[in-house]
Amino acid sequence: MTILCVRFQLPPTDGASLPGLLGLLEDFTPVVEALPPDGALADLRGAERYFGRGALELASVIRVRALAHHGIDCAIGAGPGPMLARVALRDARPGVTCAVPEGPDAIAEFLADKPVAALPGVGAATARTLCEYGLDTLGLVAAAPLSTLQRLVGAKAGRELREKANGIDRGRVVPNAVSRSLATERPFTRDELDPDRHRRALLSAADELGARLRALGKVCRTLTLTVRYADRSSMTRSRTLKEPTAHSAALTKVAYGMYEALGLQRARVRALALRAEGLDPAEQASYQLTFDPLDEKARRLEEVADRARAKFGPHAVKPGSLAA
């Protein structure tokens, strides 16, 4: 095992701890790839030789240090390649490292019963297409003729899918920096069908993102909505804003627009998440002047609300529809 895929158990509103946690991984290896909002890949081939310990032992040390220095637990998947480590992470839980067994036969057995959606890069549409033809597990995909897969998902995608299902991992860890983004998530206590509750969750998330952006002196250029369903599948939509903004009302309007465009009908939603991406300094941004007194009034009220939150806490002021 040489690659670790780590998912830190960050609180939903904590987007600032990941850089420090990546620094913890970099104490062991410089080959660390951030997977925002809460994960990372680490290539430990050099670290195993340097420290004289295997990847699983190093994973235990990483977990202890994350708890000791940051108070954050983590789930870790280990494998010979990035793709297999990410698959193993699905079966990991805080305090336990899930490792892919060694050897081609053992890897094939490990993957055989997993759903096709467990493979990184296999989205909901591809998984649905494969399941319609009875190819709902990786074992069935691995045994299917290459020509069949290529007819279903395309020549290149079919070839890559068959290789991955057979445990062939050609990926590598690419060191990078944390994406310039902020994220927040609104999980429901139970799978939620009510569109009004969905909209209130989006309103709360957009209001929080706006306040955090303004506190940091940032504006965002792109907003991304992720809807997580009861069956653990998810759907993501992104929209580039007409102009960079940290205005909560503008972010809420865009979030509502993406949600309505999904056309959900009695969907059982487990969580909604919003991510503000493409962050730039607010002083370098420009926005279209308007003669709308309501917009100007809303921006002045935001300034007052931000001062109240800074003095009395983040929940001191909130939209009226969230007060109950």
Side-chain angles (χ1 to χ4, degrees):
M1 302 298 105
T2 57
I3 307 296
L4 298 184
C5 185
V6 185
R7 183 176 63 239
F8 298 103
Q9 305 298 304
L10 299 177
T13 58
D14 187 357
S17 298
L18 187 56
L21 292 165
L22 293 180
L24 183 153
L25 293 177
E26 289 169 352
D27 290 341
F28 294 86
T29 173
V31 189
V32 175
E33 180 178 348
L35 301 175
D38 58 3
L41 288 167
D43 188 336
L44 297 182
R45 280 176 290 189
E48 288 177 313
R49 293 191 295 269
Y50 182 83
F51 291 102
R53 297 187 178 187
L56 297 182
E57 292 178 285
L58 293 175
S60 299
V61 176
I62 289 169
R63 179 179 290 109
V64 170
R65 289 194 180 184
L67 282 167
H69 294 291
H70 299 274
I72 292 173
D73 202 351
C74 56
I76 303 177
M83 182 271 292
L84 291 170
R86 294 176 74 167
V87 173
L89 180 64
R90 290 173 58 95
D91 295 333
R93 62 184 188 276
V96 177
T97 299
C98 178
V100 178
E102 298 183 7
D105 293 338
I107 291 174
E109 184 178 353
F110 174 81
L111 295 175
D113 294 331
K114 299 195 178 303
V116 291
L119 277 184
V122 175
T126 300
R128 186 164 52 249
T129 298
L130 293 169
C131 290
E132 287 174 353
Y133 287 86
L135 302 175
D136 55 351
T137 66
L138 295 180
L140 293 173
V141 171
L146 176 59
S147 58
T148 300
L149 296 177
Q150 290 180 323
R151 281 198 302 271
L152 293 177
V153 300
K156 181 180 179 181
R159 183 172 60 253
E160 292 178 350
L161 177 63
R162 193 168 189 269
E163 285 186 350
K164 290 179 178 180
N166 280 283
I168 300 174
D169 191 348
R170 302 186 187 277
R172 61 190 183 92
V173 180
V174 181
N176 63 356
V178 182
S179 299
R180 296 185 302 166
S181 63
L182 289 176
T184 187
E185 185 173 13
R186 292 295 182 270
F188 295 106
T189 54
R190 57 183 176 82
D191 298 336
E192 187 56 66
L193 294 166
D194 188 354
D196 290 335
R197 291 182 180 271
H198 298 168
R199 290 173 66 87
R200 283 199 291 273
L202 289 175
L203 172 61
S204 172
D207 188 63
E208 180 194 324
L209 274 185
R212 290 169 62 189
L213 286 167
R214 294 190 297 276
L216 294 171
K218 301 286 187 179
V219 293
C220 71
R221 288 182 277 109
T222 303
L223 192 66
T224 297
L225 167 66
T226 300
V227 183
R228 308 189 200 284
Y229 299 105
D231 61 358
R232 297 187 179 182
S233 65
S234 63
M235 184 177 294
T236 301
R237 293 290 184 270
S238 294
R239 186 165 296 179
T240 300
L241 308 180
K242 293 181 178 179
E243 61 185 25
T245 187
H247 185 30
S248 293
L251 296 175
T252 302
K253 182 178 179 180
V254 174
Y256 282 170
M258 289 189 289
Y259 172 79
E260 297 296 340
L262 293 175
L264 302 182
Q265 297 182 355
R266 295 192 59 78
R268 296 169 59 205
V269 176
R270 183 158 293 177
L272 293 164
L274 284 179
R275 174 178 296 280
E277 300 175 308
L279 306 190
D280 293 314
E283 64 269 15
Q284 297 179 11
S286 60
Y287 69 92
Q288 180 66 43
L289 295 176
T290 176
F291 294 102
D292 182 0
L294 294 178
D295 181 74
E296 193 62 32
K297 180 180 179 180
R299 292 179 185 273
R300 290 201 302 269
L301 286 173
E302 269 186 351
E303 294 176 3
V304 175
D306 288 342
R307 290 198 294 270
R309 291 187 182 107
K311 185 174 183 179
F312 300 107
H315 302 295
V317 181
K318 64 179 66 176
S321 60
L322 301 177

